[in-house]
Amino acid sequence: MVVVTGQNKVSGNPDDAMSSSDAEDDFQEPATPTATQAGQSLPLLPQQFPEVVPLNVGGMCFTTRLSTLRRYEDTMLAAMFSGRHYIPTDAEGRYFIDRDGTYFGDILNFLRSGELPPRERVRSVYKEAQYYSIGPLLDCLEDVQPLKGEKVRQAFLGLMPYYKDHLERIIEIAKLRAMQRKARFAKLKVCVFKEEMPITPYECPHFNSLRFERSESETKLFEHHCEVDVSFGPWEAVADVYDLLHCIVTDLSDRGITVDHQCIGVCDKHLINHYYCKRPIYEFKITWW
């Protein structure tokens, strides 16, 4: 008997007939699509997660509740474990997140009980919280040291025109001089001044009044560029020259650059009458290895 299935008719022609093996192949259950295949063809069904979720984060293993990962719905973790996205598993069946897991325990501790990391790990955990888009943790970390102090410091540096550009210039000049001399270190002169107007022994007692009583044309008589490689200032804030020097050294050190500095005098450029520049000049020594 010839079986007719659906619209397909089998003729009596031997060439058109299907073998039993061919028929079996045609009626086999389709294989479960892989993640790659699913992305190209069929959409994956919503992924189901157990109540207790085993995790592999960059080779480090963790175990937590599904509700912990979904604690805040506007986070990457909540989205990943919502069931709408496919998450691969490792050989042990743990859900794999391709991210350094060093600080993931701190992330989980916050999701579990609101616990914050020790001060020495705050900056690193903050970066992880940014990656996982955990807004409540970011807000909490920004209110503790050292991030709270960093916000104050950045507010001060916001008064400094071209601060980051000047840092880059220091690095580039020091690198070029060291390469030209084939030396371990390079020196350059940096001027750091808070006040725009010059200070001399004659001005000090009445500096503020003199500063604001000068006309625009008189002010231009005092404008000049000190003979240095880089110049920072002026600014109006309580923070002084030493505070800015600390910021410069800190930011260079954070980039792995070893720097020493010392005051080597002041700019003695004569401006007008008995007024001289008197801006402090510092020698920066950048050591490369």
Side-chain angles (χ1 to χ4, degrees):
M1 178 183 297
V2 177
V3 179
V4 178
T5 305
Q7 300 284 331
N8 297 323
K9 296 182 180 181
V10 181
S11 67
N13 190 332
D15 294 335
D16 295 335
M18 294 187 299
S19 66
S20 60
S21 60
D22 290 337
E24 291 174 358
D25 290 341
D26 283 352
F27 287 96
Q28 285 180 351
E29 291 292 331
T32 302
T34 63
T36 303
Q37 293 170 338
Q40 297 174 348
S41 55
L42 299 176
L44 287 169
L45 295 175
Q47 194 169 11
Q48 300 296 321
F49 298 100
E51 180 64 24
V52 177
V53 182
L55 298 170
N56 177 345
V57 184
M60 300 181 67
C61 299
F62 302 89
T63 303
T64 189
R65 298 187 64 174
L66 181 61
S67 59
T68 299
L69 297 171
R70 296 175 177 176
R71 176 79 65 193
Y72 300 103
E73 60 183 25
D74 293 332
T75 67
M76 180 187 291
L77 288 173
M80 290 173 65
F81 289 90
S82 64
R84 301 190 304 270
H85 306 282
Y86 175 80
I87 301 179
T89 56
D90 63 12
E92 302 298 326
R94 301 183 183 91
Y95 295 98
F96 180 72
I97 300 176
D98 193 11
R99 182 77 176 174
D100 187 350
T102 303
Y103 303 102
F104 191 75
D106 294 300
I107 297 292
L108 286 181
N109 286 338
F110 176 80
L111 295 177
R112 288 166 176 153
S113 59
E115 180 182 343
L116 296 179
R119 176 172 178 171
E120 63 270 15
R121 296 209 298 268
V122 165
R123 292 181 185 275
S124 299
V125 175
Y126 187 83
K127 292 180 181 179
E128 293 304 296
Q130 287 180 313
Y131 176 79
Y132 293 111
S133 301
I134 306 176
L137 177 53
L138 292 172
D139 293 339
C140 290
L141 292 177
E142 287 175 356
D143 279 337
V144 300
Q145 289 287 57
L147 294 183
K148 192 175 185 69
E150 181 62 18
K151 291 176 67 174
V152 176
R153 191 178 80 99
Q154 290 300 327
F156 162 57
L157 292 179
L159 302 174
M160 203 66 49
Y162 311 111
Y163 175 76
K164 292 184 178 179
D165 293 338
H166 291 339
L167 286 183
E168 293 297 330
R169 181 167 174 78
I170 289 176
I171 296 171
E172 288 301 316
I173 292 175
K175 181 177 69 174
L176 180 62
R177 288 181 181 171
M179 293 179 66
Q180 289 175 339
R181 296 177 57 246
K182 308 298 188 293
R184 290 181 59 230
F185 62 86
K187 295 180 180 179
L188 62 159
K189 292 181 180 180
V190 177
C191 178
V192 182
F193 65 101
K194 181 177 180 180
E195 305 292 349
E196 189 169 12
M197 293 299 179
I199 300 177
T200 68
Y202 305 98
E203 281 192 284
C204 284
H206 309 288
F207 177 75
N208 287 332
S209 61
L210 287 171
R211 178 180 181 182
F212 291 105
E213 288 177 0
R214 289 181 178 136
S215 65
E216 182 178 350
S217 59
E218 290 174 330
T219 299
K220 290 183 178 180
L221 294 174
F222 294 93
E223 293 179 354
H224 82 289
H225 297 286
C226 302
E227 295 181 359
V228 295
D229 298 297
V230 183
S231 185
F232 292 86
W235 68 89
E236 293 185 7
V238 174
D240 59 20
V241 169
Y242 298 103
D243 296 320
L244 181 59
L245 284 170
H246 181 272
C247 291
I248 296 171
V249 173
T250 298
D251 289 335
L252 290 175
S253 299
D254 286 345
R255 298 181 60 171
I257 297 174
T258 303
V259 54
D260 297 303
H261 68 281
Q262 61 177 345
C263 184
I264 58 174
V266 296
C267 176
D268 287 328
K269 184 174 178 62
H270 178 252
L271 301 177
I272 183 174
N273 296 332
H274 47 259
Y275 292 111
Y276 294 80
C277 176
K278 300 303 180 185
R279 294 171 180 169
I281 297 177
Y282 295 83
E283 181 183 75
F284 274 51
K285 179 181 178 182
I286 306 294
T287 303
W288 291 105
W289 82 87

